Amino acid sequence: MSADPIEVRVGELRRALRGPTRRKRCLLAEARDGLLDAAAAHRARGADPGTAARRAVAEFGTVAELAPGYQAELSAAQGRRTAVLAGLAFPGMTVGWDLLWSSGVSWGGPVSEQVRVMATAQDATAGAVAVAAIVGLVLLGLGARRGAPARHAVLAIGLLATLGALGCGGLAVTMNVLAGAGAVELLATNPTAWPAFAVSTAVMAVLLRSGVRSVRLARAG
Amino acid sequence: MRPDAVRGHLDGLILAVLEDGPAHGYAIIEALQARSGGELDLPTGTVYPALRRLERAGWLSGSWSTVGGRERRTYRLTRAGRHALAAQRADWRSFSAVVDAVLRPAAGPA
């Protein structure tokens, strides 16, 4: 028995698309529902099930015609996700570390000018990326209204999140290396510092992964 | 009708169909075909990403619900969507009036 034309077309479309798994599944489920409805309508008009399914698939469009539109939505969904993550994570980390420092946790000795400058740079980067992420979200929404391709906004968001995570992470590592003995003493005398470092690293890793995904999808079109 | 000509206006067409009330994807496609007298020749699959985009734009609100015994994604116009529809209608009216005026054969002595 030959394969159901509807499942074949949905499968072809699925293989042509990349993006967030749940969103992809949701979108394809909706498309399949539509195909089933269309086939049912043809059957109601007297076609046999096989013909009805083939007609529904023919009216639906080819993968070449459809994939760009579907991919654009998946890319936009990924971009949105990265933007929201960046918009929350960067301010969250800044506030979290501020709380930690003000609770008395500190490096052993006086902080060098170099480290102070880096700390300011880190805060500035975090702030700038968070603001840019929110701007990116707004642009995605406005672009959706004009039917503009989301690709550019998604690429920008992805790059910002990636570079922001690398930048803030890099600055953090450098500061701790420069603080040298102070950093070791910090970890030795403050048990709260360990989870703080661990969480920061995890958050930056998640941000980095999300940013890279957005960049990849934006370039895939 | 050429699909290219339709695609640019698809947003407005979808919003107009939903003005009457919420509907799911296939019902929207049927309404588009019925209201256009079968003249709209767009691949039906293109409607689903368009619906998601209009949702992202804040003009539609979508949700899963059970219709006819099956889980279906239903869309309804938001208030912003109604404004957008009114704006698109106004734009279309003025655009078609202008083109009409220019295309009209010049009246003059035979």
Side-chain angles (χ1 to χ4, degrees), chain B residues 16-29:
Chain B
V17 161
L18 287 171
E19 196 181 25
D20 297 336
H24 61 280
Y26 187 67
I28 295 170
I29 291 166

Side-chain angles (χ1 to χ4, degrees), chain A residues 153-182:
Chain A
V154 174
L155 181 62
I157 288 167
L159 286 173
L160 277 166
T162 306
L163 295 175
L166 286 174
C168 284
L171 282 168
V173 168
T174 313
M175 279 192 284
N176 279 292
V177 164
L178 286 178

Side-chain angles (χ1 to χ4, degrees), chain B residues 2-84:
Chain B
R2 287 184 303 116
D4 285 350
V6 174
R7 195 161 291 133
H9 304 287
L10 185 60
D11 287 2
L13 303 182
I14 291 174
L15 295 177
V17 161
L18 287 171
E19 196 181 25
D20 297 336
H24 61 280
Y26 187 67
I28 295 170
I29 291 166
E30 279 191 315
L32 283 172
Q33 286 171 342
R35 282 163 69 152
S36 67
E39 283 298 314
L40 281 182
D41 194 22
L42 218 50
T44 59
T46 56
V47 166
Y48 302 99
L51 288 168
R52 297 294 177 127
R53 179 169 50 75
L54 292 173
E55 199 182 355
R56 270 197 302 122
W59 288 344
L60 297 183
S61 154
S63 59
W64 286 96
S65 61
T66 320
V67 176
R70 248 200 292 142
E71 281 278 309
R72 283 209 175 84
R73 193 161 175 83
T74 313
Y75 297 88
R76 58 167 193 81
L77 267 189
T78 60
R79 186 136 49 107
R82 287 186 194 277
H83 290 316

Side-chain angles (χ1 to χ4, degrees), chain A:
Chain A
M1 188 151 105
S2 56
D4 177 5
I6 288 177
E7 290 308 319
V8 168
R9 180 53 48 92
V10 172
E12 285 170 350
L13 196 51
R14 184 188 305 116
R15 281 188 295 277
L17 300 174
R18 291 163 54 199
T21 316
R22 214 172 324 150
R23 178 60 63 102
K24 187 157 85 154
R25 203 182 300 154
C26 193
L27 195 46
L28 289 172
E30 201 184 349
R32 180 193 283 107
D33 275 351
L35 278 164
L36 292 172
D37 284 342
H42 282 297
R43 279 201 308 279
R45 286 195 279 274
D48 63 273
T51 309
R54 277 190 301 277
R55 279 192 193 151
V57 166
E59 291 164 349
F60 189 69
T62 63
V63 171
E65 283 172 319
L66 298 173
Y70 282 73
Q71 184 61 61
E73 280 312 299
L74 289 177
S75 302
Q78 176 60 55
R80 235 185 110 82
R81 195 173 284 201
T82 303
V84 168
L85 197 56
L88 291 175
F90 281 104
M93 301 258 299
T94 307
V95 167
W97 277 99
D98 275 351
L99 286 175
L100 201 65
W101 294 132
S102 55
S103 77
V105 173
S106 66
W107 279 308
V111 166
S112 74
E113 190 53 33
Q114 244 179 336
V115 171
R116 213 185 297 275
V117 165
M118 286 191 161
T120 312
Q122 195 184 46
D123 282 348
T125 306
V129 173
V131 167
I134 293 167
V135 169
L137 268 177
V138 170
L139 287 178
L140 274 178
L142 291 178
R145 293 183 171 189
R146 286 179 13 245
R151 191 182 325 146
H152 306 298
V154 174
L155 181 62
I157 288 167
L159 286 173
L160 277 166
T162 306
L163 295 175
L166 286 174
C168 284
L171 282 168
V173 168
T174 313
M175 279 192 284
N176 279 292
V177 164
L178 286 178
V184 174
E185 195 179 317
L186 171 88
L187 286 170
T189 57
N190 291 287
T192 45
W194 286 96
F197 276 111
V199 167
S200 301
T201 310
V203 168
M204 286 297 119
V206 166
L207 263 171
L208 197 57
R209 188 178 67 161
S210 190
V212 167
R213 276 184 180 160
S214 281
V215 169
R216 275 214 187 119
L217 279 189
R219 293 177 59 200

